[in-house]
Amino acid sequence: MEKVNNTSPLKLNIKRTCLIGFAFFGILLLWQVYDSICPTLLTELFMDVFNATSEEEVQYLVGIMMAFDNLAALILLPIFGNLSDKTKSPIGKRMPYILVGTFVCAVAFPFIPILFHYHNLVGMIIMMFIVVIFMMMYRNPAVSLMPDMTPKPLRSRANGIINIMGYIGGAFGTVVCIIFSLSNYLSGKGSWEYNNIWAIEAPFLIASVLMVVSALVLFFTVKENKIALEVKDEMSRGEALSELEEKVDDDKPLSKANKIMLILILVAEFFWFMADNGISTYMTNYTIYYLGANSSANMINTIVGGVGSVIGFAIGGVIASKISRKWTIVGGIGIVLSSYLLWMILGFSVPSLHEDSGTFPVYLYIIWFIKGFGFSLIHVNSYPMVVELTNSKKIGKFTGLYYASSMGAQTLTPILLGLILLAPESTFGILPIYGLCCIALALIIFLFIKNVKPVKTNFKKGLDSLGDNDL
């Protein structure tokens, strides 16, 4: 192993970071299919079981079911984070959880549409629950791999690469959902038993297969224990170059300033996920039931948003190295807020472009591109800010805190928005107002964060950033 001196530039191993990104590829691929299709499947079953006359009547039940899964994740994410921090095995501390979680999810996931097809509401909910539990076993350790192997100043850049890999997975899941349109299945003739089951089964089956492939690529190319020894010196140097005014001491609890910073980040994160997940949970229903448009239009919209996100992921770390992670996130929140405001204004001022129009308005593609870019600046820097507050022995625990906050939001927001939709005269047109309120709260809270300093990190650029360390 090459010796690293204290003055040489830090270098990001892009090849290894991309390989670690296969974990996130599998996560977002499965999650995209899950979030795009499951709310509508639940809507159809609940309407039939309870003889509902409109879709809005059952959205609070849809929200509860989507949130119930997330509630389990809220509890399990910190648990699996702590467990993986303390695990020692020949294949590493994260890999055992990744492999078990992957294969259970891959087996259970394709049964969700099968149970829907045969009108088994209880069985479908149980299968969704199993998928989420084992996804959380997979998710925390998989995400923790990046900060395990990346010095603190380089984590925003590395997180950008990881997220690009994830969004490629999400985009692939979206394309699959477009090809096998949910609207085509729901508009089929005859009873559900005689509709073409492959129209809803194929996306789930493809996601399962690719999730297994991504986990196997990760397992055979990223050797945790070996890499941990190789990066030991650079990880130590990264500690000294963090953006914190008050440094983290391995032998002491968090300082008061660092605790306040952690709490503010997690609370702000809670509200921006309230906005994002609340809208994404009901966006397919907004498209089908509010606009009267084909669900594939929303899938295309998701891809457009993903393009904006990829651009943000590519440059978000570079921007943060110039103006700090805090102000990059503030800028991202401002961009998202502007996109929701624009959606609200256009949605209510142009009657032909909203309820029962039968078409998906072009302006939503523009808004989703802007929103995707803004959220990517937030996500690429917020997770590194959280793990900046800990040492290598507790990365899984702090990753659990980060995802517990997001899952807490994802637990509450479908229920809350579902209840709002129960109000008299309330329709899916409320989505932009809801998102605007939540993201505004996130901005106010995040502006109170202190204890950070702008750091210009000395890292290699261009081809030199590839490094010469072997996997």
Side-chain angles (χ1 to χ4, degrees):
M1 184 179 70
E2 181 186 350
K3 261 192 170 180
V4 182
N5 64 61
N6 290 329
T7 58
S8 64
L10 289 171
K11 52 189 177 185
L12 178 64
N13 190 315
I14 295 179
K15 178 183 177 183
R16 183 173 66 225
T17 305
C18 288
L19 290 171
I20 294 172
F22 272 96
F24 216 44
F25 174 93
I27 290 171
L28 285 195
L29 171 60
L30 184 141
W31 222 244
Q32 182 59 43
V33 174
Y34 183 94
D35 281 341
S36 296
I37 298 179
C38 285
T40 304
L41 300 187
L42 288 169
T43 297
E44 292 291 325
L45 285 179
F46 280 132
M47 285 182 66
D48 187 67
V49 169
F50 295 102
N51 297 313
T53 57
S54 72
E55 295 80 15
E56 283 83 4
E57 288 181 34
V58 299
Q59 292 311 304
Y60 77 100
L61 292 171
V62 174
I64 289 171
M65 289 302 102
M66 297 297 285
F68 186 67
D69 293 342
N70 291 327
L71 180 61
L74 175 63
I75 298 168
L76 292 172
L77 276 167
I79 291 174
F80 287 125
N82 277 320
L83 285 175
S84 63
D85 279 338
K86 298 171 183 176
T87 297
K88 294 181 181 179
S89 80
I91 59 173
K93 59 184 179 181
R94 316 291 184 194
M95 205 62 71
Y97 301 92
I98 293 172
L99 296 179
V100 173
T102 295
F103 288 104
V104 174
C105 275
V107 172
F109 197 52
F111 283 97
I112 293 175
I114 292 174
L115 290 163
F116 167 79
H117 183 73
Y118 290 105
H119 208 180
N120 188 335
L121 175 61
V122 174
M124 178 180 155
I125 290 171
I126 291 172
M127 202 57 61
M128 290 169 64
F129 189 68
I130 292 171
V131 167
V132 170
I133 288 175
F134 283 91
M135 176 57 75
M136 294 310 111
M137 175 184 282
Y138 172 103
R139 184 165 190 158
N140 188 317
V143 172
S144 297
L145 277 175
M146 183 277 286
D148 279 344
M149 302 173 182
T150 308
K152 286 184 174 181
L154 301 180
R155 286 176 184 169
S156 287
R157 295 181 66 215
N159 202 32
I161 294 172
I162 297 293
N163 277 277
I164 288 173
M165 291 291 293
Y167 268 71
I168 292 172
F172 196 93
T174 302
V175 170
V176 170
C177 289
I178 292 172
I179 295 172
F180 300 94
S181 173
L182 178 59
S183 293
N184 291 340
Y185 177 89
L186 296 177
S187 62
K189 294 181 179 179
S191 67
W192 286 345
E193 287 80 1
Y194 295 100
N195 288 352
N196 181 9
I197 190 173
W198 289 106
I200 52 172
E201 175 62 22
F204 288 78
L205 193 60
I206 291 169
S208 289
V209 171
L210 290 179
M211 187 178 180
V212 171
V213 171
S214 66
L216 291 176
V217 169
L218 183 70
F219 174 71
F220 285 112
T221 59
V222 178
K223 305 300 181 183
E224 271 192 77
N225 294 336
K226 178 185 176 184
I227 294 172
L229 293 174
E230 291 178 348
V231 300
K232 187 176 180 180
D233 290 338
E234 286 202 348
M235 295 295 287
S236 296
R237 291 178 56 215
E239 290 289 336
L241 294 172
S242 75
E243 290 189 6
L244 298 176
E245 292 282 2
E246 294 190 24
K247 303 302 180 184
V248 174
D249 191 325
D250 289 2
D251 302 318
K252 295 179 181 178
L254 280 181
S255 67
K256 182 179 178 181
N258 286 343
K259 281 182 181 177
I260 292 172
M261 179 178 172
L262 176 62
I263 292 169
L264 289 173
I265 294 172
L266 295 179
V267 174
E269 177 200 353
F270 179 87
F271 282 107
W272 66 60
F273 271 102
M274 283 279 287
D276 193 27
N277 188 256
I279 288 173
S280 65
T281 296
Y282 290 103
M283 196 58 196
T284 301
N285 288 356
Y286 176 92
T287 302
I288 295 174
Y289 302 125
Y290 183 73
L291 296 176
N294 193 290
S295 63
S296 62
N298 182 50
M299 299 299 103
I300 295 171
N301 196 38
T302 302
I303 292 177
V304 172
V307 172
S309 296
V310 168
I311 295 172
F313 290 137
I315 66 175
V318 177
I319 295 172
S321 70
K322 305 295 183 184
I323 65 173
S324 84
R325 290 171 180 149
K326 174 186 173 179
W327 292 110
T328 305
I329 292 173
V330 168
I333 296 175
I335 291 170
V336 175
L337 191 150
S338 300
S339 70
Y340 287 145
L341 183 61
L342 181 61
W343 181 12
M344 184 182 71
I345 293 171
L346 292 176
F348 286 101
S349 64
V350 188
S352 63
L353 294 180
H354 61 276
E355 189 169 7
D356 295 327
S357 64
T359 59
F360 196 89
V362 174
Y363 71 76
L364 277 179
Y365 295 117
I366 300 170
I367 288 170
W368 245 247
F369 179 88
I370 297 170
K371 179 175 76 73
F373 178 77
F375 266 121
S376 66
L377 296 183
I378 297 169
H379 296 321
V380 79
N381 289 295
S382 56
Y383 174 60
M385 281 188 78
V386 170
V387 291
E388 190 101 345
L389 292 161
T390 187
N391 56 63
S392 59
K393 296 177 183 178
K394 295 180 181 178
I395 284 175
K397 177 181 178 180
F398 275 64
T399 299
L401 292 174
Y402 178 83
Y403 280 106
S405 175
S406 67
M407 282 297 168
Q410 291 176 62
T411 300
L412 177 62
T413 197
I415 299 174
L416 179 59
L417 194 43
L419 290 173
I420 291 172
L421 287 167
L422 275 177
E425 306 300 323
S426 182
T427 70
F428 287 108
I430 200 75
L431 292 188
I433 300 174
Y434 180 84
L436 183 64
C437 292
C438 291
I439 203 70
L441 285 171
L443 178 59
I444 292 168
I445 292 165
F446 203 82
L447 285 171
F448 283 96
I449 289 177
K450 299 177 182 178
N451 191 40
V452 293
K453 60 182 181 182
V455 176
K456 289 191 176 180
T457 306
N458 184 22
F459 55 81
K460 289 190 175 182
K461 300 179 181 178
L463 293 176
D464 289 339
S465 67
L466 293 172
D468 53 7
N469 44 327
D470 297 325
L471 291 172

